[in-house]
Amino acid sequence: MNQPRTPAAVLHGTRAAGKAGARRWLGRLEGVQGELLYGWALDRRDTQARVVLEVLLDGEAIAATVADVARPDLAAQLDGADPCHGFVADLGALDGAARGMLTVRVANTAVVLPGHADHAPPPAALGGTAGGVYGDGGLRLHGWSRHPYLPQTQTVQAFVGALLVAGARADRFYPHLRGQAAERHGFQLELPVELADGKPHSVRVVDQDGVPLNGSPVTVCCHASGLRALLPPDQPALLTDVIQGYERLLPRGLGLAGYRQWTALFEAAGAPGPARPGPAPSVAIIVSGPGDDQAYAHSAASLAARPGQALRVYAAGPGRALPTFAAALRAALDDGNQVLGCVQAGDALAPQALAWALDGLALPGAQLVYADSECDGRPWFKPAWNPEYALASDYPLDGMLMRADAVRAAGAQAAADPAALAWQVLAGLWRDGAEAIVHVPRVLYQRRRPPDAGQRQARHAAAAAALQRIAPGSTLAPLAPPADAGYAARRVRHPLPAALPAVSLIIPTRDHGDLLQRCIDSIERHTAWPALELIVVDNGSVQPASRRYLRALARRGVTVLARPGPFNYAALNNDAVALARGEIVGLLNNDVEALHDGWLEELLAALLQPGVVAAGAKLLWPNGMVQHGGVVLGLGNLAGHYGNHLADADWGDHGRNQLSQRVSAVTAACMLLRKRDYLAAGGMDAQAFPVAFNDVDLCLKLQRGGGRIVWTPHARLLHAESASRGHDTTPAQRQRLLRESERLRRRWQAALLDDRAYHPSLSLDLRSALFSGLALPPRPRAPRRAGLPAAED
C-alpha cells in the first residue's frame, strides 16, 4: 500500500530532478476551489510551449491538464513570456470520499511543482465562491464564478479604483469549461468604451462577497480606433503590417449594450458619404403604411435631399394625394425615376444613407442594394446576399433600393405593397443574385417598431408567392419566434426529386467501437433512404471488441475499408469518396448520432437546390448546447463555430440558430455534397490539412465557382466532439495544428478577413459569442456581393 507523501517528500522529489530541472521549470500549485485545482507552470527553455502536467493524489496520477490559461496577474513571474501559462484542472471525476494530498508534476519528468493541497470530502460548513477571470487587454472579460456547494447563481463586479464599471451574473454556458462543474457558471463583463483610450487600466474583478477572483486584477489597454490610432501618421509600412497582424490575432470588441457609443465613434452624422463618378441617378422614395401626419413628417424629414442627389418623395395612404401604394409606385415610375425605395411611415433613413446606398448600386451589374437596419436601438447586421436566410427572415426588406429597370423586368409595376414589390424584384433577380444584389454593410434604416401583424402577413404572402416563382412546389412554414422579434421566422420545405439519388455515408474510425455502434444504430433507426451505402473507414483498430464489431458490420453488408497507418482524416475521406457508389456523399464523424427521422432528407433537400454545393446540420453537444451552427471565418484569424453559447432551443441573433442560411463553411463531422463536386475540387488536401481545417479548405474550394454552402437547423445530430480522437494536447499534435493553422491563413487570408456571411462591424473576439459584440474598430465596410472575396474567386 502506498503511504501518503509529505510536503517534505514532494520538495525532495523536486530537488531530485536535479539543478538543471529546477532551473528549467517555473510554477506553483496555488490551491483548490471547489472541484477545480489551479496554478501555473512555465518552461523557461521554450516559453512558447504550454506545459503538460499530471495531477497526483498521494503520488498517484489521477488527471492531466495543460498550462494554457491566461494569467496576466503573473507578468512579473513569467520572465517576459506571454501570460497564457495558468492551469485549471477539474477534480469532479475524483471519488468524493477520496482523501489525500494533491500535487502537480511536469509530465514525463520527476519535477513536482511547489505547493500542495489536501483533498477531503466537502465539510458540512459552506465555503466561499470559486472563480477565475481572463482578459487579453480588450474591453471584454471572461471567466467563471461558482459556489462549491450552494446552487445559487453568483454575481461578479469589476472596479477601476473605487469606481464600479461593470457587473454580470455568472449564469452563462462557458464552452472552455465544457464537461466541468463550472460549465454553466460563466460570465462576460462588458467594460465601458471610455476605457478604450489607449492607456493601461487595472480592473479589479471580485465575487459577490468582494473577494478577488483568480486572475484579478486584469490589465486593459486598447484604443477604440485600433492600435494604429496610437501611431504617428508617418510610421513605417512594416510597423503598420505588424499592427494589422496583431489586431487579426487579438481583435477587440465592445458589447452590444455600447451600440450608441460605437455609433457615435464610427457612424458620425456629419461623416461624408462616398464619392461616385458621374451624376447621381434620380431617386424616388415611397412613404406608406399606417401612420399619422407626425409619422409621415418624421420620415420625410429624414429624406431631406442632399447636395448632388435628385430625390422625390411620394407619400401614399388614405386621405393623401396618392391613396394607395400601387398608385405611388405607378407615379414614381411614370415620372422617370431611375431608382426606387420604400420607407414605412414613422421610419427614417440615417444621414448619408442614400449616398452609401447609391455607392453600392454603382457597382457594375448591381440592380438592387440593401443596408443594415435597427429597431428600438438594436442593430441588425446582415450578411451579403443570402437566399436561404432571406426566405426565412425577410432580412433584406428594410433599407432596400432597386433600379426601376429591375422593377419592370420583374413585372412588379403593379405591386400592391412594399413587401410585394421587394419580393417580386428579388425573385426576378434570384438566378443572378450573386452579381445583381449588393449589400451595404452600414446601419442606414431605422425602424420605429417591429412589423405589425398586417405587415407580417403581407410579407409572408409575398415571400410565398416569390418562392413559387423561384422553386415551384416548395412551401414556407411559419415558425414561432419570440414575441419581440423584429424578423420573420419561416422554414422552407423543398420537395425531393422523383428519382432519388444514391447516397454514400462515410465514417472514419479507429477503435471506440461503442461510439461507432451508437452512430450507425442512430442512422439505421432514423434513416429510411432507399439507396443508402454505409462506408466505414477503419484506420487500424486494434481493440478486440472494435474488431469484432467491424467484422459484424461487414457481414451485414456495410463496406469496411481498411486503411491502417497514421491518422490523416483528409486521406481517409478521399479514399472512401473515390470508392463510393453514391451520387451524393455524406461525411460523418464516428462520434455523431442522428436525433430524429428525416435528418438526411432535410440535408438532401437543401443540397439539391440550384447553386448549393454542400449542406451541413446543426450539431449539439451531449449537454444540449450547440456545438456547430455553421463556421465563421476570421475567428482567431482562423475559423470557428457559431452557436457554442446557445442552447438548442435558443433563437440567437435574429433567428440565426433556428433559420436556414448560407454560411462560409460547415464541419465535416456532418457534411453532404455531390461526389462530382468533391472530386472536381480536388477533395480534401491530405498534405496541407491532414487533421484540422480540411473541411474549411474544402468548403472554400467548392465556392470558387460561385456555389453556396447551406446550414440547416432542421437536421439535428448529437456530436461528442473529439470523443474518438481526443484533443490536441501533446507537443507534436500542437505543432501539427500550428502548421495547419498557418497554411490556412496563407491560402485563404482574404476570405478570413472578409466572411461575407458575417459582418465587418461584428467582433471576432475568440472568447466571445459570435454576433454578440461590436468590432473595435470595424473592419472595412465597402459594398459587397456574396461569395468569396475577389482575390480568392
Side-chain angles (χ1 to χ4, degrees):
M1 176 184 246
N2 290 330
Q3 295 299 316
R5 299 180 69 191
T6 65
V10 173
L11 295 176
H12 177 73
T14 305
R15 288 195 297 269
K19 294 182 178 179
R23 287 194 301 268
R24 176 177 177 180
W25 307 100
L26 293 178
R28 172 170 289 276
L29 189 167
E30 295 175 314
V32 176
Q33 292 185 328
E35 297 174 342
L36 298 175
L37 176 144
Y38 64 94
W40 62 279
L42 173 71
D43 184 351
R44 297 176 69 181
R45 291 185 187 174
D46 184 2
T47 58
Q48 296 300 311
R50 308 303 170 201
V51 182
V52 180
L53 303 164
E54 296 174 303
V55 180
L56 313 177
L57 180 66
D58 288 341
E60 297 292 331
I62 59 169
T65 189
V66 179
D68 61 356
V69 175
R71 288 287 303 274
D73 58 307
L74 296 174
Q77 303 176 62
L78 292 178
D79 285 354
D82 68 77
C84 296
H85 293 280
F87 66 81
V88 179
D90 184 16
L91 304 177
L94 191 60
D95 183 355
R99 294 177 178 269
M101 187 176 69
L102 294 166
T103 53
V104 174
R105 179 174 65 199
V106 178
N108 300 318
T109 76
V111 177
V112 178
L113 299 183
H116 68 282
D118 292 327
H119 185 271
L126 299 178
T129 302
V133 61
Y134 318 103
D136 60 10
L139 294 179
R140 310 187 93 178
L141 305 182
H142 308 268
W144 60 276
S145 181
R146 171 181 176 269
H147 198 287
Y149 315 118
L150 292 177
Q152 290 91 339
T153 297
Q154 307 297 297
T155 58
V156 295
Q157 294 179 316
F159 293 84
V160 174
L163 179 65
L164 175 65
V165 295
R169 288 170 55 84
D171 57 0
R172 295 166 56 96
F173 176 65
Y174 198 55
H176 302 281
L177 293 176
R178 182 170 57 89
Q180 302 182 24
E183 70 172 9
R184 294 185 182 273
H185 297 275
F187 64 82
Q188 181 170 289
L189 287 168
E190 307 284 2
L191 302 180
V193 72
E194 288 79 9
L195 296 183
D197 56 5
K199 301 176 182 178
H201 300 275
S202 181
V203 182
R204 181 169 51 91
V205 181
V206 301
D207 64 20
Q208 60 193 26
D209 297 319
V211 178
L213 298 186
N214 185 37
S216 176
V218 177
T219 299
V220 170
C221 185
C222 62
H223 196 284
S225 297
L227 287 178
R228 281 166 286 181
L230 302 176
L231 299 176
D234 56 348
Q235 77 270 13
L238 177 61
L239 182 56
T240 300
D241 291 342
V242 171
I243 292 299
Q244 289 176 341
Y246 176 83
E247 290 182 333
R248 286 196 295 269
L249 289 171
L250 280 177
R252 302 308 189 197
L254 176 70
L256 287 175
Y259 173 64
R260 287 301 175 210
Q261 297 97 312
W262 184 90
T263 299
L265 287 169
F266 302 112
E267 301 285 7
R276 296 179 313 279
S282 57
V283 179
I285 299 294
I286 301 173
V287 181
S288 64
D292 55 19
D293 289 343
Q294 185 176 1
Y296 275 82
H298 176 72
S299 298
S302 76
L303 298 172
R306 301 291 188 263
Q309 293 177 355
L311 174 67
R312 294 179 177 141
V313 179
Y314 297 78
R320 304 191 181 277
L322 298 167
T324 65
F325 177 85
L329 175 59
R330 188 165 52 250
L333 291 170
D334 291 345
D335 289 344
N337 293 290
Q338 298 167 286
V339 175
L340 304 179
C342 301
V343 171
Q344 171 78 16
D347 296 349
L349 294 186
Q352 303 298 334
L354 290 180
W356 285 115
L358 292 176
D359 186 55
L361 205 57
L363 293 178
Q367 298 296 309
L368 180 150
V369 299
Y370 62 90
D372 303 330
S373 57
E374 67 171 86
C375 181
D376 294 329
R378 182 186 180 190
W380 192 347
F381 293 116
K382 303 173 182 178
W385 175 234
N386 195 317
E388 288 73 20
Y389 189 48
L391 284 167
S393 71
D394 285 330
Y395 86 89
L397 268 61
D398 292 330
M400 180 186 291
L401 288 182
M402 61 196 73
R403 293 192 182 277
D405 288 345
V407 175
R408 298 186 181 95
Q413 303 96 312
D417 55 61
L421 173 63
W423 272 112
Q424 288 180 44
V425 175
L426 285 171
L429 299 173
W430 205 265
R431 187 182 303 272
D432 302 314
E435 287 295 319
I437 300 175
V438 174
H439 173 222
V440 178
R442 292 177 178 271
V443 178
L444 304 181
Y445 191 93
Q446 298 163 345
R447 286 198 67 97
R448 180 175 56 168
R449 60 174 64 93
D452 60 25
Q455 284 181 296
R456 292 196 300 272
Q457 184 177 2
R459 289 185 171 193
H460 184 92
L467 181 59
Q468 289 309 302
R469 180 175 172 183
I470 297 161
S474 297
T475 59
L476 286 181
L479 302 176
D484 60 348
Y487 53 88
R490 313 182 188 107
R491 178 177 179 178
V492 184
R493 293 184 180 273
H494 296 295
L496 291 167
L500 299 177
V503 176
S504 298
L505 297 182
I506 296 168
I507 311 171
T509 192
R510 177 191 286 173
D511 290 321
H512 295 283
D514 55 336
L515 288 177
L516 179 63
Q517 183 170 359
R518 289 202 298 271
C519 174
I520 290 180
D521 285 353
S522 75
I523 292 171
E524 294 176 339
R525 183 166 57 252
H526 293 299
T527 309
W529 198 255
L532 183 66
E533 178 187 31
L534 290 181
I535 302 176
V536 174
V537 190
D538 178 22
N539 187 216
S541 294
V542 296
Q543 295 173 349
S546 297
R547 293 173 64 86
R548 284 195 300 271
Y549 181 62
L550 290 171
R551 290 193 296 269
L553 288 177
R555 289 193 296 270
R556 288 163 44 187
V558 173
T559 300
V560 178
L561 186 61
R563 287 296 184 270
F567 179 72
N568 186 317
Y569 185 79
L572 298 175
N573 279 293
N574 288 345
D575 287 354
V577 171
L579 298 174
R581 297 192 296 269
E583 175 188 342
I584 306 297
V585 293
L587 310 183
L588 292 177
N589 277 12
N590 67 345
D591 54 3
V592 302
E593 300 174 43
L595 292 175
H596 58 90
D597 294 350
W599 70 276
L600 183 59
E601 289 83 350
E602 171 67 22
L603 286 168
L604 284 163
L607 174 65
L608 296 177
Q609 296 311 298
V612 177
V613 291
K618 177 191 277 191
L619 303 183
L620 304 173
W621 277 311
N623 65 2
M625 303 299 288
V626 177
Q627 185 268 329
H628 171 260
V631 172
V632 172
L633 304 178
L635 194 67
N637 200 24
L638 288 167
H641 293 179
Y642 169 64
N644 291 168
H645 291 76
L646 299 173
D648 179 24
D650 292 342
W651 280 85
D653 176 74
H654 291 89
R656 294 177 198 270
N657 192 39
Q658 302 296 343
L659 303 178
S660 295
Q661 61 206 268
R662 178 179 186 170
V663 294
S664 291
V666 293
T667 176
C670 180
M671 179 196 302
L672 258 64
L673 67 166
R674 296 171 183 82
K675 177 177 177 177
R676 68 170 185 268
D677 290 338
Y678 187 100
L679 297 176
M684 290 184 170
D685 191 333
Q687 297 299 317
F689 306 106
V691 178
F693 303 118
N694 38 54
D695 45 9
V696 176
D697 178 66
L698 175 62
C699 285
L700 293 174
K701 290 189 296 185
L702 288 168
Q703 293 174 81
R704 277 177 165 156
R708 303 195 307 280
I709 311 291
V710 172
W711 173 84
T712 172
H714 308 302
R716 297 161 49 252
L717 293 90
L718 195 71
H719 186 200
E721 185 184 19
S722 298
S724 176
R725 194 182 66 84
H727 294 280
D728 293 324
T729 56
T730 70
Q733 289 172 328
R734 286 174 175 265
Q735 286 302 314
R736 187 262 310 148
L737 179 59
L738 288 173
R739 288 196 303 272
E740 292 171 317
S741 300
E742 187 54 35
R743 287 166 182 161
L744 187 74
R745 292 181 181 121
R746 286 200 306 266
R747 182 175 294 183
W748 298 107
Q749 188 63 73
L752 296 182
L753 295 175
D754 186 12
D755 186 338
R756 302 295 173 88
Y758 198 53
H759 198 286
S761 293
L762 290 169
S763 172
L764 289 168
D765 175 8
L766 189 60
R767 285 187 174 270
S768 298
L770 291 161
F771 293 96
S772 74
L774 302 159
L776 286 179
R779 298 175 295 284
R781 293 179 288 169
R784 58 186 189 160
R785 291 184 167 102
L788 296 177
E792 295 176 340
D793 284 349

